[in-house]
Amino acid sequence: MIKQIILSLLSVVVSNAWASEAIQWQEWSARAFTKAKIENRLILINVGHEGCTACRFMEQNTFSNPAVIELVNANFIAIQVDSEARPDIGERYSDWAWPANAIMRPDAVQVLAFAGSRRPDSYMKLLREAIDGHKAGTLSPDKLAPYGAPRQAETTAFSDLRDQIRALQDDVFKTKNSGVFESAEALRHLLLRKHLYDDNNALKLATNTLDGLLQQLDPVWGGMFYASFGNWNNTVAEKRLESQAAALQAYADGYQLTGEQTYREALANVDSYLRTFMHSQQGAFFANQQDRLSALPADMSMDDYYALGDKERRNYGVPSIDHAIYSDVNARVILGYTMAFEATGKQAYIDTATQAAKHLLEERQTEAGWIIQFKPSTELSADHRIHIITNQPLPYLRTQAHFGLALMALYRTTDDPYWRQTAIKVADALLLKLEDKNIGGFYGAPDDGTPGRRKPLEDNAAAAQFLYLLGVLEKNKYYKVAAERAIRASASPTAVRREGRITGNLAMALEIITAQYVEFSVVGDAEDSRTQALLQAGRSVFEPRKLVHSESTGRYPLRAAPAMYICNDQRCTVPIYKPADVAIKAGMFIDKTSPPSPP
């Protein structure tokens, strides 16, 4: 009897040793993985972000449960990652949506991953099965674990890979009647194919989705709802910044190609929302507006709330804003605003883009040239967050690639050499910090001693677009070679198969590189109104492959009046003096010989 009492007391002592008011989350770091290996403890991974409703549910209902807390703290090294602050890890676990949960052995081999939130009982069941398997030594590697970096470059011809991606993208859009909207490149790819090859099937697929997405716009406050399910009207009452960026880009291209007025109105809708609700005092943009409001009556949903008018909504309050500012998504917004300016000529759009870019560069560009993804702020300090957020100033690939594309667009639309020089600094830092010098391509982040480092397919494709166009502009062969190597070193059959439905950036990169660039160069005094008129004419042409800039004499002679030359590696126009002739001459660079994908 005494022995049983002693054992019972020891059990209480051991249990209390692991008891805590919260799970002892650690950040993704070499230190955490080393600790797991030394202590022979399993690793629990949780990845999500602040705008994720399921993440919040799990935090409030599962991670706050005393039994869950005790089980995790006693048996696991628990690592939590904000997917937006660490885009390299967010990309790695994006296949499992949010929240993404994974369990690893102490040697960092993944044995299980599952998507979405779990209630305490079902969550503890999974944890206990892993604990038992670890004790028995029976945990085997997960065949669906995130793939690693390819060991050799892909040798498939770009035209063949392009056609493969076209077919994958068409398959996605054939039956699309709802879905998550967080990137525009897949839609832009369809519109580009219409432009290049008069592919009416691609245009139909694009406009069907663009028209459907109009129903995801909030008609009162503006802004694109993040997702819909089953039909376009069945929206998720949450507005994320990436959805606004995607809407700006997709509708800018859509309006410029088709002239459809509702697409121009969509641009105004999103702009109004961003400037009213998501704009920081310095000009950058916040991460999301969340889909909850504590002041609502118990019988009133957020869908009911958003069905109300402005005054009635405000009577209940305004959904809270996540005040984090992430550079990669801001870069996509900057690109969207720049494209909206090109499509409409509305000066406020380019002013908004310029203000945001200058603020972020001043605050976040390092002396080495690369852009910091995230920095704490006074506004953010007042937010109640569900994820630990790290302030690790690393040069993430996604940030550099998207900021590079934004800088190229700003230079194209303003002819300001500041943007061009800044783009060069970002490109050089990207090559120095993240390129694999052996077979090419870019890692998602520098080697920090943690496992699973890889070359993200879509981020490499975005980097390829940036470097290819910059290489043309600077007549720098190495930039162009690095762009092609980035695709070959990341577009492995495994990566394409796993990510084939979300390869819009790869699709865009392959179309641009195989069809070649189109460079609009104006030789003449930059202050001359005739030079500016020619530049503006070039900007007004719908041509996603284009570079537009003025230059001094050298390649082309100085003539009696400012003259534009439109060129690529295969052909070049005669001097163009009249702005009205620019669009006509640009038509020479549309090659109808590549057959469109079948309907």
Side-chain angles (χ1 to χ4, degrees), residues 469-540:
L469 293 173
L470 184 61
V472 172
L473 182 65
E474 293 300 314
K475 307 300 176 282
N476 184 321
K477 183 178 179 180
Y478 186 72
Y479 288 158
K480 294 174 70 174
V481 170
E484 295 186 13
R485 278 162 48 98
I487 294 175
R488 294 199 179 281
S490 62
S492 67
T494 297
V496 171
R497 184 174 63 253
R498 289 278 293 269
E499 300 189 29
R501 298 179 64 83
I502 50 170
T503 50
N505 270 302
L506 179 59
M508 285 290 291
L510 290 168
E511 295 289 355
I512 290 171
I513 291 174
T514 55
Q516 288 204 3
Y517 65 91
V518 182
E519 185 178 13
F520 297 71
S521 306
V522 180
V523 178
D525 183 355
E527 302 300 321
D528 192 318
S529 61
R530 295 171 296 178
T531 299
Q532 292 301 315
L534 286 168
L535 288 170
Q536 187 55 44
R539 294 170 189 141
S540 299

Side-chain angles (χ1 to χ4, degrees), residues 85-107:
R86 285 292 306 255
D88 59 325
I89 308 302
E91 181 277 332
R92 191 181 307 183
Y93 285 96
S94 60
D95 285 353
W96 289 271
W98 312 130
N101 299 274
I103 297 174
M104 295 179 176
R105 297 187 316 213
D107 60 0

Side-chain angles (χ1 to χ4, degrees), residues 82-308:
D82 185 302
S83 64
E84 295 176 300
R86 285 292 306 255
D88 59 325
I89 308 302
E91 181 277 332
R92 191 181 307 183
Y93 285 96
S94 60
D95 285 353
W96 289 271
W98 312 130
N101 299 274
I103 297 174
M104 295 179 176
R105 297 187 316 213
D107 60 0
V109 171
Q110 181 171 302
V111 297
L112 174 68
F114 53 95
S117 61
R118 293 289 191 278
R119 293 185 180 276
D121 288 346
S122 62
Y123 191 65
M124 285 192 292
K125 181 177 183 294
L126 291 169
L127 298 185
R128 289 191 179 107
E129 288 173 354
I131 293 168
D132 292 342
H134 177 47
K135 290 178 180 177
T138 58
L139 294 178
S140 58
D142 180 5
K143 294 181 180 179
L144 296 178
Y147 55 85
R151 296 184 179 181
Q152 59 186 24
E154 178 58 38
T155 58
T156 302
F158 275 3
S159 58
D160 292 340
L161 184 57
R162 175 202 63 196
D163 292 346
Q164 178 187 353
I165 299 302
R166 281 182 186 174
L168 288 169
Q169 292 297 297
D170 286 359
D171 187 59
V172 169
F173 285 96
K174 279 179 183 177
T175 58
K176 192 171 182 63
N177 61 1
S178 61
V180 173
F181 188 41
E182 56 186 1
S183 61
E185 289 82 10
L187 277 168
R188 294 183 60 206
H189 166 245
L190 294 172
L191 295 168
L192 175 57
R193 282 165 49 193
K194 165 61 179 175
H195 167 70
L196 289 175
Y197 310 118
D198 199 26
D199 187 340
N200 288 317
N201 178 58
L203 177 63
K204 181 181 178 181
L205 293 174
T207 54
N208 283 347
T209 298
L210 286 170
D211 292 345
L213 284 166
L214 292 173
Q215 299 173 64
Q216 282 185 209
L217 290 168
D218 180 354
V220 178
W221 285 343
M224 176 67 67
F225 289 112
Y226 168 67
S228 57
F229 295 98
N231 62 75
W232 297 112
N233 287 314
N234 184 26
T235 58
V236 176
E238 178 188 336
K239 298 176 183 176
R240 299 183 185 176
L241 188 59
E242 58 260 42
S243 302
Q244 316 315 314
L248 288 173
Q249 293 180 26
Y251 285 112
D253 270 2
Y255 176 66
Q256 198 166 18
L257 179 66
T258 69
E260 173 57 52
Q261 189 63 28
T262 55
Y263 298 168
R264 181 175 181 135
E265 293 168 1
L267 293 173
N269 173 291
V270 173
D271 167 57
S272 175
Y273 170 71
L274 285 172
R275 288 187 293 104
T276 303
F277 292 92
M278 305 295 280
H279 216 183
S280 74
Q281 187 175 359
Q282 296 79 18
F285 295 92
F286 301 126
N288 70 73
Q289 186 173 38
Q290 298 171 3
D291 63 341
R292 68 187 193 282
L293 197 59
S294 59
L296 290 184
D299 60 347
M300 187 175 185
S301 70
M302 287 300 293
D303 289 336
D304 297 331
Y305 172 83
Y306 275 113
L308 301 173

Side-chain angles (χ1 to χ4, degrees), residues 550-569:
S550 63
E551 63 177 281
S552 59
T553 57
R555 283 198 301 162
Y556 309 109
L558 180 64
R559 300 182 182 273
M564 173 180 280
Y565 301 84
I566 308 177
C567 299
N568 65 13
D569 286 341

